[in-house]
Amino acid sequence: MTRWPGSYLVIARSGETPAVIGDLAGQHPMHYRIDAAGTWWSTAASALAALDGAPVDVTALAAHLAFGQPDVLAERSLFRDVQRVPGGHLLLLGPAGVAVEPYEPAAYAPVELREQAPVVRAALAEAVAARIEDRPVSADLAGLDSTTLACLAAQWGPVSGDVRR
């Protein structure tokens, strides 16, 4: 379930224990909170904070604004009492309680660029093709990553775009 190309969110169940698994890149971030009513989870920390008006975590907000990367927060969210599940981890919701456990290594062994570049290209092409499905496509071209994906999408049909400088 974790080898699909692109971004995804998976909910799987084994017996009484459901697991919520997000992609390694964190495109579908997962958050959770525990209160007297039980455990709540969502892809939006703000939805969980709205349950009782949990205040903003000022320290986490400052780190987010300074660095702009979600992994800087690790297991914190921008709201008090709302936790974030880091990339490469899954959220287990079992009868014995809640656990956040790693399911993928945080770092991989180095590989040769010449050998792995075609593998990365194939995975990106497969991910783009799986999401196009004869739908209109647009892209904001702000760097190499978005430009690469837009070029791959253009193999399937027209792509409207906006260049950001």
Side-chain angles (χ1 to χ4, degrees), residues 65-86:
L65 292 173
F67 298 104
Q69 299 294 323
D71 286 343
V72 136
L73 300 178
E75 294 184 10
R76 292 173 81 164
S77 79
L78 296 179
F79 300 94
R80 287 193 203 147
D81 301 325
V82 177
Q83 298 298 310
R84 179 177 170 268
V85 179

Side-chain angles (χ1 to χ4, degrees), residues 49-147:
L51 291 172
D52 67 353
V56 170
D57 180 335
V58 178
T59 304
L61 178 59
H64 177 71
L65 292 173
F67 298 104
Q69 299 294 323
D71 286 343
V72 136
L73 300 178
E75 294 184 10
R76 292 173 81 164
S77 79
L78 296 179
F79 300 94
R80 287 193 203 147
D81 301 325
V82 177
Q83 298 298 310
R84 179 177 170 268
V85 179
H89 288 69
L90 57 86
L91 178 65
L92 292 173
L93 304 163
V98 176
V100 175
E101 296 184 5
Y103 70 88
E104 289 284 343
Y108 293 91
V111 296
E112 290 295 321
L113 177 62
R114 289 178 196 238
E115 294 173 16
Q116 294 303 310
V119 174
V120 172
R121 187 204 185 286
L124 286 174
E126 183 181 351
V128 169
R131 284 153 181 84
I132 297 239
E133 297 180 12
D134 297 323
R135 289 183 265 184
V137 176
S138 67
D140 291 329
L141 304 177
L144 183 60
D145 53 350
S146 57
T147 303

